[in-house]
Amino acid sequence: MKTVIIGGSATGMGVAAKLKRLDHESEIIVIQDKEYVSLGACGIPYYVGHNFENPETLIARKIEKFEESGISVLSKTKVKNIDFDNKVISFENEKITYDNLVIAVGAKPIIPDIKNIDAKNIFTVNSKEDGIIIKNTITDSSKVLIIGSGLIGLEMVENIRHATKAKITIIEKADRVLKNLFDKEFTELVESEITKQDIKLCKENEIIEFIKDSNNKVCAAKTIKGEIIECDVVILSIGVLPNTHFLKDSKLELEKNGAIKINEYCETNIPNVYAGGDCCSSLSYLYKNTRTFYLATVANKQAKIIANNINENKSSKFVGALGTTIIRFFDLELARTGENRMFIEMNNIQTKEVLINDKDHTNYVSGQEDLWLRIIIDLKTKEIINAQMIGKNKSVLRIYGLVGLIWAKTKVDEALEQIDLPYSPPFSRTTDIIHIAISKLI
């Protein structure tokens, strides 16, 4: 059996490794457009922030290690065409056949159509090379413009501030940061922290033109409001889209955003062709609606499912994801899980919710901080469908317990009000914030 995998990141290399463990005799070929595989892209901001100095730390496993186990890797190779009828993949001047095909090409950064976007020192945060050049470019005297205030944008802001004295400006098209993930009460606290860190935030604004100097280097940006922002480094963190442009005119069924449509077995509409990770659409766990989860956690799970199904013929199902997310922003920590506000409102789901502001532990142990929790339940099912937290000192790790309640589809009732949560003065109060929220919900 010959399996060809296009893409060498979390899903692709996860499939390759597990499939080889399941069947030592299987022939596995990975086609990767970069010279390396298994990049931990989530670590790029922390490399820029000098949390570690060797960029090779971003590589979880080198190509040589995969090849030692019998997995062939064609690096620096781009697929040009796939003939699904004849099971043939074309790249450069070569062609290879397959019995099973896995498409795991991930996502690509959104590059906006802005005048002079080809100027030097305008970067995305997507590859090891991106991390290296950004780290080597930004100095204490730099004027850095971050476009977008999602997770990656804010992680870059935090790490650049920790590593340098650079002047930082954030441009955000929406009316607040992290809008698709957190409600206003939470994002207001993040925006206060941005101000506290002497970082300029420009909301409800966007860049319409970059201004270049004689060396084709960016020196300023013009906003839609006519402002001129001086900058010598620009970081694009607007978001990502599935990296499926080469499949646009193929027989493969795609969503409107370019994501590959898959079923619960991670199969596409074409026999013996699978897809997983950032390039495909997946099920939401709660309502079985279709979403694209740009999360390494989802990619890793789907890799195992694909390998199992190739080896054992539909032995594993992907049951869905919650979009659980956690982020540190200076002293603040935020966590969330479940469907977002937009989905709830668009689908007219009748809900009940509570917002609690309490303390993370007892007042007689030093370091007590505010802790915020919002829980939203579906009135029809009495189940939690969204939880958001913001606090400090790792207090938001309570999200793990809430994820468990959501995953088990536990009813919010008097029995749950008595849930036996741990108590100790350095960690919590006798009546935890989760207890308070549940009591108010019932």
Side-chain angles (χ1 to χ4, degrees), residues 138 142-149 153-154 156-158 160-161 164-173 177 194-195 197-203 205-207 210 219-223 227-237 329-330:
I138 298 176
S142 295
K143 300 182 183 76
V144 182
L145 176 62
I146 309 278
I147 302 181
S149 63
L154 293 185
M156 289 299 292
V157 166
E158 179 198 36
I160 291 169
R161 170 58 77 240
T164 72
K165 298 177 182 178
K167 180 181 178 182
I168 304 173
T169 301
I170 305 171
I171 288 283
E172 173 53 55
K173 189 175 182 179
V177 303
I194 290 172
T195 301
Q197 295 293 335
D198 194 27
I199 295 163
K200 185 177 180 181
L201 173 61
C202 303
K203 298 182 291 183
N205 208 340
E206 55 186 304
I207 302 301
F210 292 112
C219 60
K222 184 178 180 180
T223 74
E227 305 156 316
I228 301 295
I229 301 173
E230 290 186 1
C231 56
D232 49 32
V233 178
V234 175
I235 296 174
L236 302 174
S237 55
F329 188 66
F330 297 100

Short mmCIF file of all heavy atoms in Angstrom, two decimals, residues 138 142-149 153-154 156-158 160-161 164-173 177 194-195 197-203 205-207 210 219-223 227-237 329-330:
data_model
loop_
_atom_site.label_atom_id
_atom_site.label_comp_id
_atom_site.label_asym_id
_atom_site.label_seq_id
_atom_site.Cartn_x
_atom_site.Cartn_y
_atom_site.Cartn_z
N ILE A 138 14.03 43.58 13.94
CA ILE A 138 13.51 44.50 14.95
C ILE A 138 14.57 44.83 15.99
O ILE A 138 15.19 43.93 16.57
CB ILE A 138 12.25 43.92 15.62
CG1 ILE A 138 11.13 43.73 14.59
CG2 ILE A 138 11.76 44.85 16.74
CD1 ILE A 138 9.90 43.07 15.15
N SER A 142 13.28 50.39 16.39
CA SER A 142 12.30 50.10 15.34
C SER A 142 10.94 50.70 15.64
O SER A 142 10.55 50.88 16.80
CB SER A 142 12.15 48.58 15.17
OG SER A 142 13.32 47.98 14.70
N LYS A 143 10.21 51.01 14.57
CA LYS A 143 8.81 51.42 14.66
C LYS A 143 7.99 50.31 14.01
O LYS A 143 7.97 50.18 12.79
CB LYS A 143 8.58 52.75 13.94
CG LYS A 143 9.39 53.91 14.50
CD LYS A 143 9.04 55.19 13.74
CE LYS A 143 9.90 56.37 14.21
NZ LYS A 143 11.28 56.28 13.67
N VAL A 144 7.34 49.51 14.84
CA VAL A 144 6.67 48.29 14.37
C VAL A 144 5.17 48.53 14.26
O VAL A 144 4.53 49.01 15.20
CB VAL A 144 6.95 47.12 15.32
CG1 VAL A 144 6.29 45.85 14.79
CG2 VAL A 144 8.45 46.91 15.49
N LEU A 145 4.62 48.15 13.12
CA LEU A 145 3.18 48.23 12.89
C LEU A 145 2.64 46.80 12.80
O LEU A 145 3.04 46.03 11.93
CB LEU A 145 2.87 49.00 11.60
CG LEU A 145 1.40 49.07 11.18
CD1 LEU A 145 0.57 49.79 12.24
CD2 LEU A 145 1.27 49.75 9.83
N ILE A 146 1.75 46.45 13.71
CA ILE A 146 1.09 45.14 13.71
C ILE A 146 -0.30 45.32 13.12
O ILE A 146 -1.11 46.10 13.65
CB ILE A 146 0.96 44.56 15.14
CG1 ILE A 146 2.30 44.59 15.87
CG2 ILE A 146 0.35 43.17 15.09
CD1 ILE A 146 3.23 43.49 15.58
N ILE A 147 -0.60 44.61 12.04
CA ILE A 147 -1.92 44.71 11.42
C ILE A 147 -2.73 43.49 11.83
O ILE A 147 -2.46 42.37 11.41
CB ILE A 147 -1.82 44.83 9.89
CG1 ILE A 147 -0.97 46.05 9.52
CG2 ILE A 147 -3.21 44.93 9.27
CD1 ILE A 147 -0.83 46.27 8.03
N GLY A 148 -3.72 43.70 12.67
CA GLY A 148 -4.55 42.62 13.19
C GLY A 148 -4.28 42.37 14.66
O GLY A 148 -3.12 42.34 15.09
N SER A 149 -5.34 42.19 15.44
CA SER A 149 -5.18 41.98 16.88
C SER A 149 -5.84 40.68 17.33
O SER A 149 -6.50 40.61 18.35
CB SER A 149 -5.79 43.16 17.65
OG SER A 149 -7.18 43.24 17.42
N GLY A 153 -1.35 38.19 16.42
CA GLY A 153 -0.98 39.60 16.53
C GLY A 153 -0.62 39.99 17.94
O GLY A 153 0.40 40.64 18.19
N LEU A 154 -1.44 39.58 18.91
CA LEU A 154 -1.17 39.94 20.30
C LEU A 154 0.03 39.19 20.87
O LEU A 154 0.79 39.74 21.68
CB LEU A 154 -2.41 39.68 21.16
CG LEU A 154 -3.62 40.59 20.87
CD1 LEU A 154 -4.73 40.32 21.87
CD2 LEU A 154 -3.23 42.06 20.89
N MET A 156 2.64 38.41 19.11
CA MET A 156 3.78 39.13 18.57
C MET A 156 4.01 40.44 19.32
O MET A 156 5.15 40.80 19.62
CB MET A 156 3.57 39.40 17.07
CG MET A 156 3.65 38.17 16.19
SD MET A 156 5.26 37.34 16.26
CE MET A 156 6.31 38.57 15.47
N VAL A 157 2.94 41.14 19.65
CA VAL A 157 3.05 42.39 20.42
C VAL A 157 3.75 42.12 21.75
O VAL A 157 4.70 42.81 22.12
CB VAL A 157 1.65 43.00 20.66
CG1 VAL A 157 1.72 44.09 21.73
CG2 VAL A 157 1.09 43.56 19.36
N GLU A 158 3.27 41.13 22.48
CA GLU A 158 3.85 40.83 23.79
C GLU A 158 5.33 40.49 23.68
O GLU A 158 6.16 40.99 24.45
CB GLU A 158 3.10 39.65 24.43
CG GLU A 158 3.66 39.27 25.78
CD GLU A 158 3.25 37.88 26.24
OE1 GLU A 158 3.14 36.98 25.38
OE2 GLU A 158 3.05 37.70 27.45
N ILE A 160 7.54 41.09 21.19
CA ILE A 160 8.37 42.20 20.71
C ILE A 160 8.63 43.19 21.85
O ILE A 160 9.74 43.68 22.03
CB ILE A 160 7.72 42.90 19.51
CG1 ILE A 160 7.73 41.97 18.29
CG2 ILE A 160 8.44 44.21 19.16
CD1 ILE A 160 6.89 42.46 17.13
N ARG A 161 7.60 43.45 22.66
CA ARG A 161 7.77 44.35 23.79
C ARG A 161 8.74 43.77 24.82
O ARG A 161 9.57 44.49 25.38
CB ARG A 161 6.41 44.64 24.44
CG ARG A 161 6.45 45.38 25.77
CD ARG A 161 7.15 46.75 25.69
NE ARG A 161 6.33 47.77 25.09
CZ ARG A 161 6.64 48.46 24.00
NH1 ARG A 161 7.76 48.21 23.36
NH2 ARG A 161 5.85 49.39 23.52
N THR A 164 12.43 43.99 23.07
CA THR A 164 12.99 45.26 22.59
C THR A 164 12.22 46.44 23.19
O THR A 164 11.18 46.27 23.83
CB THR A 164 12.89 45.36 21.06
OG1 THR A 164 11.51 45.56 20.68
CG2 THR A 164 13.42 44.13 20.37
N LYS A 165 12.75 47.62 22.91
CA LYS A 165 12.08 48.86 23.28
C LYS A 165 11.41 49.50 22.05
O LYS A 165 11.12 50.70 22.04
CB LYS A 165 13.08 49.84 23.89
CG LYS A 165 13.71 49.33 25.18
CD LYS A 165 14.75 50.31 25.71
CE LYS A 165 15.42 49.79 26.98
NZ LYS A 165 16.48 50.71 27.46
N ALA A 166 11.15 48.69 21.04
CA ALA A 166 10.56 49.19 19.80
C ALA A 166 9.23 49.88 20.06
O ALA A 166 8.48 49.50 20.96
CB ALA A 166 10.38 48.04 18.81
N LYS A 167 8.92 50.87 19.26
CA LYS A 167 7.63 51.53 19.30
C LYS A 167 6.63 50.67 18.53
O LYS A 167 6.88 50.32 17.37
CB LYS A 167 7.73 52.92 18.67
CG LYS A 167 6.43 53.70 18.68
CD LYS A 167 6.62 55.06 18.03
CE LYS A 167 5.29 55.83 17.99
NZ LYS A 167 5.46 57.15 17.32
N ILE A 168 5.52 50.35 19.16
CA ILE A 168 4.56 49.42 18.56
C ILE A 168 3.20 50.09 18.37
O ILE A 168 2.68 50.73 19.29
CB ILE A 168 4.38 48.16 19.42
CG1 ILE A 168 5.72 47.47 19.66
CG2 ILE A 168 3.41 47.18 18.77
CD1 ILE A 168 5.66 46.33 20.65
N THR A 169 2.64 49.91 17.18
CA THR A 169 1.28 50.37 16.89
C THR A 169 0.48 49.19 16.35
O THR A 169 0.98 48.40 15.54
CB THR A 169 1.28 51.49 15.83
OG1 THR A 169 2.06 52.58 16.30
CG2 THR A 169 -0.14 51.96 15.53
N ILE A 170 -0.76 49.05 16.83
CA ILE A 170 -1.66 48.00 16.35
C ILE A 170 -2.79 48.64 15.56
O ILE A 170 -3.42 49.59 16.03
CB ILE A 170 -2.27 47.20 17.51
CG1 ILE A 170 -1.18 46.63 18.42
CG2 ILE A 170 -3.17 46.08 16.98
CD1 ILE A 170 -1.72 46.02 19.71
N ILE A 171 -3.04 48.12 14.36
CA ILE A 171 -4.19 48.55 13.56
C ILE A 171 -5.21 47.41 13.56
O ILE A 171 -4.88 46.27 13.22
CB ILE A 171 -3.77 48.86 12.11
CG1 ILE A 171 -2.98 50.16 12.04
CG2 ILE A 171 -4.99 48.95 11.21
CD1 ILE A 171 -3.83 51.41 12.15
N GLU A 172 -6.44 47.72 13.95
CA GLU A 172 -7.50 46.71 14.00
C GLU A 172 -8.74 47.23 13.28
O GLU A 172 -9.25 48.30 13.59
CB GLU A 172 -7.84 46.35 15.44
CG GLU A 172 -9.03 45.44 15.61
CD GLU A 172 -8.94 44.17 14.79
OE1 GLU A 172 -7.94 43.44 14.92
OE2 GLU A 172 -9.88 43.92 14.00
N LYS A 173 -9.21 46.45 12.30
CA LYS A 173 -10.37 46.86 11.50
C LYS A 173 -11.66 46.84 12.32
O LYS A 173 -12.55 47.67 12.12
CB LYS A 173 -10.49 45.95 10.28
CG LYS A 173 -11.52 46.40 9.27
CD LYS A 173 -11.47 45.49 8.04
CE LYS A 173 -12.47 45.95 6.99
NZ LYS A 173 -12.41 45.08 5.77
N VAL A 177 -10.39 44.35 20.02
CA VAL A 177 -9.46 43.25 19.79
C VAL A 177 -10.14 41.91 20.08
O VAL A 177 -11.15 41.86 20.81
CB VAL A 177 -8.18 43.40 20.65
CG1 VAL A 177 -7.51 44.73 20.38
CG2 VAL A 177 -8.49 43.25 22.14
N ILE A 194 -2.99 46.93 26.84
CA ILE A 194 -2.27 47.49 25.69
C ILE A 194 -1.85 48.93 25.99
O ILE A 194 -0.71 49.32 25.76
CB ILE A 194 -3.15 47.42 24.42
CG1 ILE A 194 -3.30 45.96 23.96
CG2 ILE A 194 -2.56 48.27 23.29
CD1 ILE A 194 -4.29 45.77 22.84
N THR A 195 -2.78 49.71 26.52
CA THR A 195 -2.47 51.10 26.88
C THR A 195 -1.41 51.15 27.97
O THR A 195 -0.47 51.97 27.92
CB THR A 195 -3.75 51.81 27.37
OG1 THR A 195 -4.73 51.77 26.32
CG2 THR A 195 -3.46 53.25 27.74
N GLN A 197 0.96 49.18 28.50
CA GLN A 197 2.27 48.81 27.96
C GLN A 197 2.80 49.86 26.98
O GLN A 197 3.80 49.62 26.30
CB GLN A 197 2.17 47.45 27.27
CG GLN A 197 1.85 46.29 28.19
CD GLN A 197 2.97 45.98 29.16
OE1 GLN A 197 4.13 46.29 28.92
NE2 GLN A 197 2.61 45.38 30.29
N ASP A 198 2.14 51.01 26.91
CA ASP A 198 2.57 52.11 26.04
C ASP A 198 2.57 51.69 24.57
O ASP A 198 3.49 51.99 23.81
CB ASP A 198 3.95 52.63 26.45
CG ASP A 198 4.28 53.97 25.80
OD1 ASP A 198 3.33 54.72 25.51
OD2 ASP A 198 5.47 54.25 25.59
N ILE A 199 1.52 50.97 24.20
CA ILE A 199 1.34 50.52 22.82
C ILE A 199 0.11 51.24 22.25
O ILE A 199 -0.93 51.32 22.92
CB ILE A 199 1.14 49.00 22.76
CG1 ILE A 199 2.42 48.30 23.22
CG2 ILE A 199 0.76 48.54 21.36
CD1 ILE A 199 2.24 46.86 23.59
N LYS A 200 0.23 51.76 21.06
CA LYS A 200 -0.87 52.49 20.45
C LYS A 200 -1.81 51.52 19.74
O LYS A 200 -1.37 50.69 18.95
CB LYS A 200 -0.35 53.52 19.45
CG LYS A 200 -1.44 54.42 18.86
CD LYS A 200 -0.84 55.47 17.94
CE LYS A 200 -1.94 56.37 17.35
NZ LYS A 200 -1.38 57.39 16.43
N LEU A 201 -3.10 51.64 20.03
CA LEU A 201 -4.12 50.79 19.40
C LEU A 201 -5.06 51.66 18.59
O LEU A 201 -5.70 52.57 19.13
CB LEU A 201 -4.89 50.02 20.47
CG LEU A 201 -6.11 49.21 19.98
CD1 LEU A 201 -5.69 48.13 18.99
CD2 LEU A 201 -6.85 48.60 21.17
N CYS A 202 -5.16 51.36 17.30
CA CYS A 202 -6.06 52.10 16.40
C CYS A 202 -7.16 51.16 15.95
O CYS A 202 -6.95 50.32 15.06
CB CYS A 202 -5.29 52.64 15.19
SG CYS A 202 -3.89 53.69 15.60
N LYS A 203 -8.34 51.28 16.55
CA LYS A 203 -9.47 50.42 16.21
C LYS A 203 -10.32 51.04 15.11
O LYS A 203 -10.23 52.22 14.83
CB LYS A 203 -10.32 50.17 17.46
CG LYS A 203 -9.58 49.45 18.57
CD LYS A 203 -10.47 49.17 19.76
CE LYS A 203 -10.85 50.45 20.51
NZ LYS A 203 -11.64 50.18 21.71
N ASN A 205 -10.12 50.84 11.99
CA ASN A 205 -9.20 51.51 11.08
C ASN A 205 -8.51 50.46 10.23
O ASN A 205 -8.48 49.27 10.60
CB ASN A 205 -8.16 52.32 11.87
CG ASN A 205 -7.64 53.52 11.11
OD1 ASN A 205 -7.74 53.59 9.89
ND2 ASN A 205 -7.09 54.48 11.84
N GLU A 206 -7.96 50.84 9.11
CA GLU A 206 -7.22 49.92 8.27
C GLU A 206 -6.24 50.66 7.39
O GLU A 206 -6.37 51.86 7.15
CB GLU A 206 -8.18 49.08 7.40
CG GLU A 206 -9.14 49.87 6.55
CD GLU A 206 -10.14 48.97 5.84
OE1 GLU A 206 -9.69 48.05 5.11
OE2 GLU A 206 -11.36 49.18 6.01
N ILE A 207 -5.24 49.92 6.92
CA ILE A 207 -4.21 50.49 6.07
C ILE A 207 -4.64 50.39 4.61
O ILE A 207 -5.10 49.33 4.16
CB ILE A 207 -2.86 49.76 6.27
CG1 ILE A 207 -2.43 49.83 7.73
CG2 ILE A 207 -1.78 50.35 5.36
CD1 ILE A 207 -2.26 51.22 8.28
N PHE A 210 1.03 51.47 1.76
CA PHE A 210 2.33 51.53 2.40
C PHE A 210 3.20 52.52 1.63
O PHE A 210 3.18 52.55 0.40
CB PHE A 210 3.01 50.16 2.44
CG PHE A 210 2.32 49.18 3.35
CD1 PHE A 210 1.66 48.07 2.85
CD2 PHE A 210 2.34 49.38 4.72
CE1 PHE A 210 1.02 47.18 3.68
CE2 PHE A 210 1.70 48.48 5.57
CZ PHE A 210 1.04 47.39 5.05
N CYS A 219 8.41 52.73 5.05
CA CYS A 219 8.77 53.78 6.02
C CYS A 219 7.54 54.38 6.69
O CYS A 219 7.67 55.10 7.68
CB CYS A 219 9.61 54.87 5.36
SG CYS A 219 8.80 55.72 4.00
N ALA A 220 6.36 54.10 6.13
CA ALA A 220 5.13 54.62 6.73
C ALA A 220 3.94 53.88 6.13
O ALA A 220 4.06 53.16 5.12
CB ALA A 220 5.00 56.12 6.50
N ALA A 221 2.78 54.08 6.75
CA ALA A 221 1.54 53.49 6.25
C ALA A 221 0.43 54.52 6.35
O ALA A 221 0.35 55.27 7.33
CB ALA A 221 1.18 52.24 7.06
N LYS A 222 -0.41 54.53 5.34
CA LYS A 222 -1.53 55.47 5.30
C LYS A 222 -2.82 54.73 5.64
O LYS A 222 -3.09 53.67 5.09
CB LYS A 222 -1.64 56.10 3.92
CG LYS A 222 -2.71 57.17 3.80
CD LYS A 222 -2.70 57.79 2.40
CE LYS A 222 -3.78 58.87 2.27
NZ LYS A 222 -3.77 59.47 0.90
N THR A 223 -3.60 55.29 6.55
CA THR A 223 -4.84 54.63 6.97
C THR A 223 -6.03 55.14 6.14
O THR A 223 -5.94 56.14 5.43
CB THR A 223 -5.14 54.89 8.45
OG1 THR A 223 -5.59 56.24 8.61
CG2 THR A 223 -3.92 54.66 9.31
N GLU A 227 -4.62 59.12 8.06
CA GLU A 227 -3.47 59.28 8.95
C GLU A 227 -2.23 58.64 8.33
O GLU A 227 -2.33 57.67 7.56
CB GLU A 227 -3.76 58.60 10.30
CG GLU A 227 -5.04 59.07 10.97
CD GLU A 227 -5.60 58.05 11.93
OE1 GLU A 227 -5.64 56.85 11.58
OE2 GLU A 227 -6.00 58.44 13.03
N ILE A 228 -1.09 59.14 8.71
CA ILE A 228 0.18 58.56 8.29
C ILE A 228 0.87 58.01 9.54
O ILE A 228 1.14 58.75 10.50
CB ILE A 228 1.10 59.60 7.60
CG1 ILE A 228 0.41 60.17 6.37
CG2 ILE A 228 2.44 58.95 7.24
CD1 ILE A 228 0.15 59.17 5.26
N ILE A 229 1.15 56.71 9.54
CA ILE A 229 1.80 56.06 10.67
C ILE A 229 3.22 55.70 10.26
O ILE A 229 3.42 54.89 9.35
CB ILE A 229 1.04 54.79 11.11
CG1 ILE A 229 -0.39 55.14 11.51
CG2 ILE A 229 1.77 54.09 12.26
CD1 ILE A 229 -1.26 53.93 11.80
N GLU A 230 4.20 56.28 10.93
CA GLU A 230 5.59 55.94 10.63
C GLU A 230 5.88 54.51 11.09
O GLU A 230 5.52 54.10 12.19
CB GLU A 230 6.53 56.91 11.34
CG GLU A 230 6.52 58.31 10.77
CD GLU A 230 7.59 59.20 11.41
OE1 GLU A 230 8.34 58.69 12.28
OE2 GLU A 230 7.67 60.38 11.05
N CYS A 231 6.55 53.75 10.23
CA CYS A 231 6.90 52.37 10.58
C CYS A 231 8.05 51.90 9.68
O CYS A 231 8.13 52.30 8.51
CB CYS A 231 5.71 51.44 10.44
SG CYS A 231 4.94 51.44 8.80
N ASP A 232 8.92 51.09 10.23
CA ASP A 232 9.97 50.49 9.41
C ASP A 232 9.92 48.96 9.44
O ASP A 232 10.72 48.28 8.82
CB ASP A 232 11.36 50.98 9.83
CG ASP A 232 11.60 50.91 11.32
OD1 ASP A 232 11.04 50.00 11.96
OD2 ASP A 232 12.33 51.75 11.85
N VAL A 233 8.94 48.42 10.18
CA VAL A 233 8.65 46.99 10.19
C VAL A 233 7.13 46.83 10.25
O VAL A 233 6.47 47.49 11.06
CB VAL A 233 9.28 46.26 11.39
CG1 VAL A 233 8.89 44.79 11.39
CG2 VAL A 233 10.79 46.41 11.38
N VAL A 234 6.59 45.99 9.38
CA VAL A 234 5.15 45.70 9.38
C VAL A 234 4.96 44.20 9.53
O VAL A 234 5.61 43.41 8.84
CB VAL A 234 4.48 46.19 8.08
CG1 VAL A 234 3.01 45.77 8.06
CG2 VAL A 234 4.61 47.70 7.95
N ILE A 235 4.08 43.80 10.43
CA ILE A 235 3.75 42.39 10.62
C ILE A 235 2.27 42.19 10.31
O ILE A 235 1.41 42.79 10.94
CB ILE A 235 4.09 41.92 12.04
CG1 ILE A 235 5.60 42.01 12.26
CG2 ILE A 235 3.60 40.49 12.27
CD1 ILE A 235 6.06 41.71 13.65
N LEU A 236 2.01 41.35 9.31
CA LEU A 236 0.63 41.06 8.91
C LEU A 236 0.12 39.87 9.72
O LEU A 236 0.63 38.76 9.62
CB LEU A 236 0.59 40.72 7.41
CG LEU A 236 1.12 41.77 6.44
CD1 LEU A 236 1.13 41.23 5.02
CD2 LEU A 236 0.29 43.05 6.51
N SER A 237 -0.90 40.13 10.53
CA SER A 237 -1.51 39.05 11.32
C SER A 237 -3.02 39.18 11.24
O SER A 237 -3.73 39.18 12.23
CB SER A 237 -1.02 39.12 12.78
OG SER A 237 -1.28 40.40 13.33
N PHE A 329 -1.23 37.36 27.63
CA PHE A 329 -0.90 38.69 27.12
C PHE A 329 -0.35 39.50 28.28
O PHE A 329 -1.11 40.02 29.10
CB PHE A 329 -2.14 39.36 26.51
CG PHE A 329 -1.83 40.65 25.80
CD1 PHE A 329 -1.05 40.66 24.64
CD2 PHE A 329 -2.30 41.86 26.28
CE1 PHE A 329 -0.76 41.85 23.99
CE2 PHE A 329 -2.02 43.05 25.63
CZ PHE A 329 -1.24 43.04 24.48
N PHE A 330 0.96 39.55 28.39
CA PHE A 330 1.65 40.13 29.54
C PHE A 330 1.17 39.43 30.80
O PHE A 330 1.25 38.21 30.87
CB PHE A 330 1.47 41.65 29.57
CG PHE A 330 2.07 42.33 28.36
CD1 PHE A 330 1.27 42.72 27.28
CD2 PHE A 330 3.43 42.54 28.28
CE1 PHE A 330 1.83 43.32 26.16
CE2 PHE A 330 4.00 43.14 27.16
CZ PHE A 330 3.20 43.53 26.10
#
